[in-house]
Amino acid sequence: MGHDHSHTHGITATGRHRKRLIAVLAITLAVVLVQVIGAVLSGSLSLLADAGHMLSDAAGVTIALLAAWIAGRPASDQRTYGYQRAEVLAALANALILIVISVVIFSEAIRRIGAAPEVQTDIMLFAAILGAAANVASLMILCGAHRESLNVRGAYLEVLGDLLGSFAVIAAAVVIMVTGFQAADTIASVVIALMILPRAWSLLRDVVDVLLEASPKGVEVQMIREHILSVEGVTDVHDIHIWTITSGVPVFSAHVVVEDGVLNARGADQLLDKLITCLGSHFDTDHCTFQLEPASHSEHEAHQHA
């Protein structure tokens, strides 16, 4: 006997925060334009690196928005969960973009070692301060939403990295203005590249967990098993599977062995309600499936396979 409880396919976590992502995208693109112009006029590699990182952020947010639109398409017989995994694939693309950008920045910084050109620090400082202010505004827009969606989290982490990158550019500009140490610009570029990699790795690891259908973070399978076994009439539970379709859409399934006397129409219905209530209190999901098995049948199968 199977039971499918409220399998709704509504707006995904990223879709719920689409307006925030659009606002961040607009801010980011405006700052990228300013920083690219500033990098060309000032000759600053660190400012260009920060602009490149922000451009990758804009690309990532664009991908996330497209993925949210695709994920909102209805399910079909061929795609029973619809296109909700598109958001996870977009997060994967974001992580890969971050890695590529960091490698390119690092390579260019290494090439400039020993041959750092003179930098116009006034333009460099102005563009970096403007970038920092824009990043703070974007972080405020995304604050809170980043806990619900991998894509929003990816955008949040990228903006946070941009803020740190802007601080590095500001620090480099101040050092050059005070001491004339031109290599500070190249050093700041390396710092920016190194800051990107850990965040990219963290996002990539979470995406891989979803694609490999690992149990969601914070979910203790043994605790859920114990609570199911505590429901009156349940004698055993096995074949427990917990995974995530996309951000905010966890899924649960299990085979539940019950006393034979429970499996009448009314008893089974009451038992399923208890199981769903139990699961809902310990694991927040509307997507759960229980297969009820009578104890006699379970014992028969065990004897056959012995």
Side-chain angles (χ1 to χ4, degrees):
M1 182 182 298
H3 180 72
D4 182 37
H5 178 60
S6 301
H7 279 237
T8 58
H9 299 276
I11 299 176
T12 61
T14 300
R16 287 194 295 271
H17 303 292
R18 189 176 302 174
K19 290 182 179 179
R20 298 191 188 202
L21 289 172
I22 291 174
V24 170
L25 178 61
I27 293 172
T28 302
L29 287 175
V31 174
V32 166
L33 180 61
V34 172
Q35 288 195 332
V36 168
I37 294 174
V40 172
L41 294 177
S42 67
S44 170
L45 176 61
S46 62
L47 187 57
L48 186 62
D50 200 29
H53 187 197
M54 293 195 74
L55 183 61
S56 76
D57 294 352
V61 172
T62 301
I63 291 171
L65 287 168
L66 289 173
W69 174 73
I70 294 171
R73 297 180 62 185
S76 65
D77 290 342
Q78 288 72 40
R79 301 183 186 277
T80 56
Y81 279 109
Y83 294 82
Q84 296 184 56
R85 274 283 168 91
E87 290 187 292
V88 180
L89 297 178
L92 175 62
N94 282 353
L96 296 178
I97 288 171
L98 283 171
I99 292 173
V100 170
I101 289 292
S102 65
V103 171
V104 171
I105 293 171
F106 188 77
S107 299
E108 179 61 20
I110 295 299
R111 190 184 69 80
R112 282 200 178 192
I113 291 178
E118 185 174 347
V119 177
Q120 299 296 321
T121 53
D122 51 350
I123 299 175
M124 175 184 174
L125 185 59
F126 171 77
I129 292 175
L130 181 63
N135 288 325
V136 170
S138 295
L139 285 175
M140 292 176 66
I141 292 172
L142 296 175
C143 186
H146 69 289
R147 299 186 181 92
E148 299 181 22
S149 165
L150 277 177
N151 280 305
V152 178
R153 181 190 170 196
Y156 182 87
L157 290 175
E158 289 168 356
V159 172
L160 180 60
D162 279 334
L163 179 59
L164 297 176
S166 295
F167 286 157
V169 178
I170 291 171
V174 171
V175 168
I176 295 172
M177 291 175 68
V178 173
T179 67
F181 183 60
Q182 297 290 329
D185 181 57
T186 302
I187 294 172
S189 302
V190 174
V191 170
I192 293 172
L194 293 178
M195 284 192 302
I196 296 173
L197 285 175
R199 297 181 301 105
W201 173 252
S202 176
L203 182 60
L204 182 62
R205 182 181 57 195
D206 287 346
V207 168
V208 169
D209 281 346
V210 172
L211 294 178
L212 294 180
E213 300 188 340
S215 296
K217 288 183 178 180
V219 174
E220 297 183 18
V221 177
Q222 182 58 34
M223 183 188 73
I224 293 176
R225 180 183 288 109
E226 290 173 357
H227 281 283
I228 291 176
L229 288 172
S230 70
V231 175
E232 185 178 357
V234 175
T235 62
D236 191 21
V237 58
H238 58 92
D239 288 345
I240 293 178
H241 297 286
I242 307 174
W243 68 103
T244 304
I245 298 300
T246 188
S247 304
V249 188
V251 183
F252 177 91
S253 70
H255 291 199
V256 181
V257 181
V258 301
E259 298 171 358
D260 288 17
V262 174
L263 290 181
N264 55 58
R266 183 177 179 184
D269 186 60
Q270 291 177 346
L271 178 61
L272 285 171
D273 286 340
K274 290 179 181 178
L275 289 171
I276 291 165
T277 300
C278 175
L279 186 65
S281 64
H282 301 288
F283 180 52
D284 184 20
T285 180
D286 288 330
H287 299 263
C288 55
T289 302
F290 294 103
Q291 178 173 315
L292 302 185
E293 302 174 352
S296 58
H297 177 70
S298 181
E299 293 169 0
H300 176 68
E301 281 192 341
H303 178 73
Q304 281 188 327
H305 290 85

